[in-house]
Amino acid sequence: MKAIIPVAGAGTKLRPHTYTQPKALIPLAGKTILSIIIDQLEEAGITEFVFVIGYLGEKIQHYIQKKYPHLTCHFVQQNVREGTGHAILLTKKVVGDDEILIVLGDTICEGNIKELIASPVSQLGLKKVDDPRSFGVAELSDAGDIVRVVEKPQIPKSNLALVGIYKIKETDQLFDCLERNMTEHRRSHDEFQLTDALQCMIEHGVQFTPFKVSNWFDCGRKETLLETNAILLSKYKAPANPILPYENAIIIPPVSIGEGCNIKNSIIGPNVAIGDNTVINYSIVKDSIIGSYSNLYEVVLKSSLIGSDANIRGLSQSLNIGDNTEIDLG
């Protein structure tokens, strides 16, 4: 089995951070969004990955090759982003006849991945949501099979959302449906959707059953990213780096502090993730994500997302600052 992870998107809802950093490499609970996904799949036994890259794709390729040299990794370029269906179709030659597990690059799901891989039929990850209009939606038969999937319906007939994880056994039929939709210019919301290809497969007799997802984390916006960071910090129980002394500093768990950080005269936590080689002095930081190689002096931060190589001096309450930024709030 091969895992396909599309990570070609520009991540416009997380700007300014995604001007210089792919969304999949945004730091989260001491890791990155992408590393959390890969680690989960590798633990379940998958060793071959196909990454669909595009926007800032060279950064993703460099990150994967450096961090996961032991995995078999393929990189497929999506120069023109025409939707998830188009992204998956580009992997056809690499995939061949193998079964595939598709996981969207901004999706963190918790469930029994080993059970999903071993399923004798194709499965789609589902979870109930309050407002399904922003998602692909699945409808079930009385027997529990998935009988229809629709991308972002205006009037949903179900509250079961497709959460971005798909186990496909019939790869030939998937690629046939994707090619048919492209040839017939069948778009939904002006893109070639994976959801439409799945519906094509259902109409041609392919059986899909639900895969129950226990937790589903949204990493697409600042507010939900910070919420996800707090949840995962508590889950991973990531300690502060015990090797480095923090002079006159109070660390309130859960926090994750990267290597080479210099923290003194400060209060850090709870729910704070800090990248490598960041300097924090005379500051209070809570409920925030701070990138690597940043410098914070005399600031009070809460509910903030700070990129790498940022310099902040003064007093602040809530910031959303990208990489290579310098701010003096004094």
Side-chain angles (χ1 to χ4, degrees):
M1 172 173 283
K2 294 183 174 73
I4 299 175
I5 305 180
V7 283
T12 55
K13 294 180 181 178
L14 279 173
R15 286 176 177 168
H17 305 276
T18 49
Y19 281 126
T20 56
Q21 186 85 308
K23 177 169 61 174
L25 298 186
I26 295 290
L28 191 65
K31 298 187 176 185
T32 65
I33 297 171
L34 186 56
S35 68
I36 292 173
I37 295 171
I38 295 173
D39 291 348
Q40 181 188 42
L41 299 183
E42 185 182 8
E43 185 179 348
I46 294 180
T47 60
E48 189 166 2
F49 292 78
V50 184
F51 300 93
V52 183
I53 59 175
Y55 178 74
L56 299 176
E58 69 282 354
K59 288 192 173 185
I60 289 179
Q61 186 167 350
H62 175 75
Y63 176 83
I64 295 299
Q65 290 172 338
K66 181 179 179 180
K67 187 173 178 62
Y68 298 99
H70 57 288
L71 297 177
T72 302
C73 297
H74 311 271
F75 298 91
V76 177
Q77 189 76 27
Q78 187 183 25
N79 294 318
V80 180
R81 296 187 297 276
E82 296 192 79
T84 53
H86 174 245
I88 301 304
L89 181 57
L90 293 173
T91 70
K92 180 179 179 179
K93 290 184 179 179
V94 177
V95 168
D97 297 327
D98 291 343
E99 295 182 9
I100 56 175
L101 186 67
I102 302 169
V103 182
L104 301 187
D106 57 358
T107 295
I108 298 176
C109 296
E110 292 185 341
N112 192 331
I113 303 299
K114 290 183 179 180
E115 183 179 285
L116 174 64
I117 293 172
S119 171
V121 298
S122 293
Q123 290 195 318
L124 308 179
L126 303 180
K127 190 166 180 59
K128 290 182 179 180
V129 296
D130 294 331
D131 185 0
R133 290 175 297 177
S134 299
F135 307 98
V137 174
E139 301 171 23
L140 304 185
S141 68
D142 293 338
D145 288 342
I146 298 171
V147 293
R148 188 167 183 256
V149 289
V150 184
E151 184 66 24
K152 298 177 183 176
Q154 288 299 308
I155 305 177
K157 295 183 179 180
S158 163
N159 63 348
L160 292 172
L162 298 168
V163 298
I165 183 166
Y166 318 80
K167 186 268 179 72
I168 308 293
K169 290 180 67 69
E170 301 84 356
T171 50
D172 286 347
Q173 293 191 50
L174 171 65
F175 289 123
D176 285 347
C177 284
L178 288 169
E179 289 176 336
R180 184 179 297 113
N181 288 349
M182 292 279 287
T183 301
E184 297 175 358
H185 303 285
R186 187 177 302 171
R187 296 172 178 258
S188 295
H189 306 280
D190 203 35
E191 290 187 334
F192 294 108
Q193 303 286 354
L194 175 59
T195 306
D196 292 336
L198 298 175
Q199 177 59 27
C200 170
M201 294 174 69
I202 292 171
E203 291 171 357
H204 286 80
V206 176
Q207 181 187 13
F208 285 96
T209 60
F211 168 63
K212 294 182 180 179
V213 173
S214 55
N215 287 306
W216 173 31
F217 301 112
D218 180 2
C219 303
R221 295 178 292 114
K222 174 197 168 188
E223 294 77 11
T224 53
L225 187 66
L226 292 175
E227 291 174 6
T228 298
N229 182 61
I231 293 169
L232 294 181
L233 279 171
S234 296
K235 177 180 175 61
Y236 294 150
K237 294 180 173 59
N241 193 323
I243 300 174
L244 298 176
Y246 301 117
E247 178 184 341
N248 195 29
I250 298 174
I251 308 297
I252 306 173
V255 299
S256 171
I257 300 177
E259 296 180 359
C261 290
N262 184 353
I263 299 173
K264 57 186 179 181
N265 308 311
S266 299
I267 301 174
I268 307 298
N271 305 321
V272 174
I274 302 173
D276 296 338
N277 301 297
T278 283
V279 177
I280 301 177
N281 196 5
Y282 292 106
S283 299
I284 300 173
V285 183
K286 63 182 291 187
D287 300 316
S288 298
I289 298 174
I290 314 296
S292 300
Y293 297 95
S294 291
N295 290 273
L296 280 61
Y297 183 78
E298 290 186 339
V299 297
V300 178
L301 295 179
K302 63 179 181 181
S303 303
S304 296
L305 183 57
I306 309 297
S308 298
D309 299 305
N311 289 279
I312 305 172
R313 182 184 183 93
L315 181 65
S316 162
Q317 290 301 315
S318 180
L319 297 174
N320 188 15
I321 298 170
D323 296 353
N324 305 301
T325 304
E326 184 169 352
I327 294 178
D328 188 341
L329 294 170

